[in-house]
């Protein structure tokens, strides 16, 4: 019965969110940049509670590269790239800011986690050109399955599976599977594998 209720709620909230889905789809077809996707992400981030979660995930199911129906995306969480994947049973806490990324199944992101699209988003070598005009490149960051990222962490590199990232950590180098890391910059504290 609970599963049937979820299916009905998914259907109803998908109908409610359909104008956003259509607007984003039309924007992509005319070759627009990500501004419509970002606008929709920002608008939907402001809806609290379970209704907000259902509306967000059902919009992202139709507008991202992949978004599983079984995920939770918290209040005030923003996405800046549609080239993002959210897999089964992912929990994204409130007030997160997610760039281009792949978040694998069972990952858990605490409140206020920021996943940047790599470390090269802004070039700054030319002193005669304003930084905002120098461009940069975006990398897709992977968060491995069953990884827990603590509140307020900043992620700029890939994280392996079954890792624990301490609250407030700043990850600037790839983290291998089964690692527990913390600090700024994040350093390996120990492995989750038995000795």
């Amino acid at each position: 019965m609970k599963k049937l209720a979820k299916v009905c709620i998914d259907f109803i909230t998908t109908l409610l969110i359909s104008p956003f889905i259509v607007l984003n789809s039309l924007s992509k077809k005319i070759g627009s940049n990500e501004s419509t996707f970002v606008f929709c992400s920002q608008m939907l981030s402001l809806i609290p509670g379970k209704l907000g979660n259902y509306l967000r995930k059902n919009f992202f199911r139709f507008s991202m590269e992949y978004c599983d129906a079984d995920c939770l995306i918290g209040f005030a969480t923003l996405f800046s790239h549609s080239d993002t994947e959210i897999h089964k049973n992912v929990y994204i806490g409130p007030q997160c800011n997610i760039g281009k990324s792949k978040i694998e199944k069972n990952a858990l992101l605490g409140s206020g986690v920021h996943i940047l699209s790599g470390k090269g988003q802004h070039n700054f070598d030319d002193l005669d050109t304003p930084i905002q005009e120098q461009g940069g490149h975006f990398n897709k960051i992977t968060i491995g399955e069953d990884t827990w990222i603590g509140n307020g962490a900043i992620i700029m590199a890939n994280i392996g599976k079954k890792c624990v990232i301490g609250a407030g950590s700043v990850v600037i180098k790839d983290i291998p599977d089964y690692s527990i890391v913390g600090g700024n910059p994040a350093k390996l504290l120990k492995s989750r594998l038995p000795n």
Side-chain angles (χ1 to χ4, degrees):
M1 190 67 170
K2 190 175 179 180
K3 190 173 183 177
L4 179 60
K6 279 185 80 173
V7 169
C8 290
I9 294 169
D10 272 330
F11 178 75
I12 291 166
T13 53
T14 300
L15 286 177
L16 288 172
I17 206 66
S18 61
F20 283 88
I21 295 168
V22 169
L23 177 66
N24 188 65
S25 180
L26 289 173
S27 178
K28 280 184 177 178
K29 285 185 177 162
I30 62 170
S32 178
N33 60 16
E34 299 261 36
S35 60
T36 303
F37 173 81
V38 171
F39 167 79
C40 294
S41 170
Q42 291 171 351
M43 290 293 293
L44 295 172
S45 75
L46 301 174
I47 303 169
K50 287 187 178 185
L51 174 63
N53 178 59
Y54 274 96
L55 291 171
R56 282 186 287 277
K57 76 173 183 173
N58 284 313
F59 170 72
F60 294 132
R61 284 175 58 203
F62 292 94
S63 61
M64 283 184 176
E65 184 172 323
Y66 180 78
C67 182
D68 196 88
D70 185 16
C71 71
L72 191 144
I73 301 167
F75 176 76
T77 290
L78 303 175
F79 292 87
S80 55
H81 295 276
S82 60
D83 184 13
T84 296
E85 301 174 43
I86 301 173
H87 290 268
K88 187 174 181 60
N89 204 33
V90 165
Y91 172 88
I92 300 174
Q95 301 173 345
C96 292
N97 195 326
I98 312 294
K100 189 182 281 197
S101 57
K102 176 182 181 182
I103 306 171
E104 295 181 344
K105 67 181 182 178
N106 298 314
L108 172 67
L109 280 64
S111 301
V113 170
H114 290 253
I115 301 175
L116 282 64
S117 303
K119 296 181 280 188
Q121 294 183 66
H122 299 283
N123 296 328
F124 50 86
D125 296 333
D126 184 354
L127 295 175
D128 296 324
T129 304
I131 292 172
Q132 65 183 346
E133 294 176 11
Q134 292 188 43
H137 64 278
F138 298 96
N139 293 327
K140 192 169 194 172
I141 300 299
T142 297
I143 308 299
E145 70 175 85
D146 195 26
T147 285
W148 173 29
I149 301 176
N151 290 6
I154 299 173
I155 311 299
M156 292 184 260
N158 298 315
I159 298 174
K161 67 182 179 182
K162 299 186 180 291
C163 291
V164 175
I165 310 300
S169 296
V170 178
V171 176
I172 60 172
K173 293 182 181 175
D174 289 354
I175 305 296
D177 297 346
Y178 308 104
S179 296
I180 300 174
V181 302
N184 178 6
K187 291 184 173 41
L188 179 66
L189 302 175
K190 67 182 206 176
S191 175
R192 292 184 67 198
L193 292 174
N195 294 332

